[in-house]
Amino acid sequence: SVYARGVEATLGIPQIERQVMESLFWSDTPMLQTLSRGEGFVAEQQARLSDAVEKALPPAAEYLATFAQYRDYLILDEAAFAAKYEADERPIAEMVPEAKKHLQLAAEMEEAIPLRMPLGLFTVSCTAVRNTLVERHRSLAAIIVKRMSAAPMHSAHETGKRFAGVLQRLNQPTETIEEVAELEEYARQLPAELAELQEGIKAMVAEQEVVDQFEMVSPDADVKAFWATIALPRRVAEQIEAVGVKAAEMREQYAQEMQSEQAAFDKSLDRLEKVVGGFDKHTSFDRTKEVASEVRQLQLELKDAEEKRARFNKREVIFGQEQTDYSQLLRTSKAFEPYATLWLTADKWLESQKEWFGGAFNKLEPEAMEGVLSAAQRTLYKLSKTFEGAEGLSDIVTRVRQEIDDFSPNMPLITALRNPGMRERHWKQLSDEVGQDMTQAASDAFTLETMLSLNLGERVETVTKVCDVAGKEYAIETAMDKMEAEWKSVQLEVVPYRESGTFVIKGVDAIQQVLDDQIVMTQSMAFSPFK
């Protein structure tokens, strides 16, 4: 004990004489007479001291216990608290009481915890604990206030983005009167959107006022962003005014330009009307290619004229002017339509003839050919009514109709021979039955002209019969290919069956369904005479 060590410290202290009288002979070193451990007085005093200490300890322990209520804050990890607070989504109204609570606790602890506390034999220093607790609560309040300050900055960011979009749209350059009108309309509709944005700014200011009551110093960037957002409505108002001034100037400029364009457009309509009016002079079938090319060019010009008409009328509405009557263009287009249809149909027929007769027979597509012939026949029937009595033009209609009528009887033969099921065996069978070498029909050198030169029209029934058989065989072949393809995607999943050491096939229902369907299909094919 401390008392025992104190008593021992008094033992073995040499007297000073030997140190002073160095010339004398000393047989030993005389010691001072002090207390000894065995003396009753020493033991008695030690007992008294121990009793006094034992009586003084409970009040100190009791006072120490009063600090237990602060233990959670003393061991709190501020970094973890800050991370959790940043991650939590909570309104600013919930954070304000928490921040105030920690500031209030800091003030209370600063007032309640003394720097020193005398406790009988002891004087306890509370400075470190007090300072730690006060600073801890102030730090926690600062973390909460920092999190609160993010709310007005987020509002400033979001509101700023929307204002930036408005300013960008108002600053967008305009190159046509339509774009000017769109920008004016956008500016007229802005007040409703700006009112909504203004409410956003009010909410941001209210949030910042809540943060400001804690007197926290904000970063310069946040301060600049806040006041820049406050100034955005004024910037937008100035830009709207600038748009109005610029639009008025551009309206005047575009109005003058449109007058010049409309004058040139009127002249182009007169020229188109004159060209169309003289189109009945084209009566030579030999010039079909040339006239068809002129028709296509004129169609492009009429289409361009129609786009200009629509644009001029639209712009006149924008300028608040009465719309110009361009019925002349409608009359011209309507008058030109039958001529364009006639010459383009004739040109299409000539092109089709060249392609069909000159190309490989094995590349012909009967379905597409039928479509061309049917469309041409319907069109020419209407044109025969339109150009009835028109010298030259009615002759062209009659000629093309007659050529198509003469060609159409060949289509059954072409359709039969272009059956996709035709194989080498069918061509050989056909060769034997018609007495002509039909195996050459599968080569690229065999043309429609070659086929017609064989005079197969007299043997249409024979040819059709062989080709029909080929088609039905092809249908069976196609169905079998499809059946085989269905199995390529089937996966047999073999899995262990419990702990039996055996295996089972999983998902057999779908596989069984495919198998059943194909069995029925195969049985049906087995009874076909074309298998």
Side-chain angles (χ1 to χ4, degrees), residues 390-406:
E391 186 178 354
L393 296 174
S394 61
D395 296 336
I396 294 174
V397 175
T398 301
R399 177 174 175 174
V400 176
R401 287 186 71 184
Q402 187 60 50
E403 289 183 4
I404 291 175
D405 291 341
D406 292 342

Side-chain angles (χ1 to χ4, degrees), residues 426-438:
H426 302 119
W427 291 118
K428 289 181 179 180
Q429 180 185 354
L430 192 58
S431 298
D432 294 338
E433 296 197 15
V434 300
Q436 299 278 358
D437 182 12
M438 294 303 300

Side-chain angles (χ1 to χ4, degrees), residues 14-30:
Q15 294 183 3
I16 195 170
E17 284 83 353
R18 183 170 182 172
Q19 303 297 327
V20 177
M21 303 176 183
E22 297 178 355
S23 300
L24 294 178
F25 172 76
W26 298 86
S27 60
D28 58 6
T29 302

Side-chain angles (χ1 to χ4, degrees), residues 436-449:
Q436 299 278 358
D437 182 12
M438 294 303 300
T439 58
Q440 60 179 322
S443 69
D444 291 342
F446 190 82
T447 64
L448 176 59
E449 189 171 359

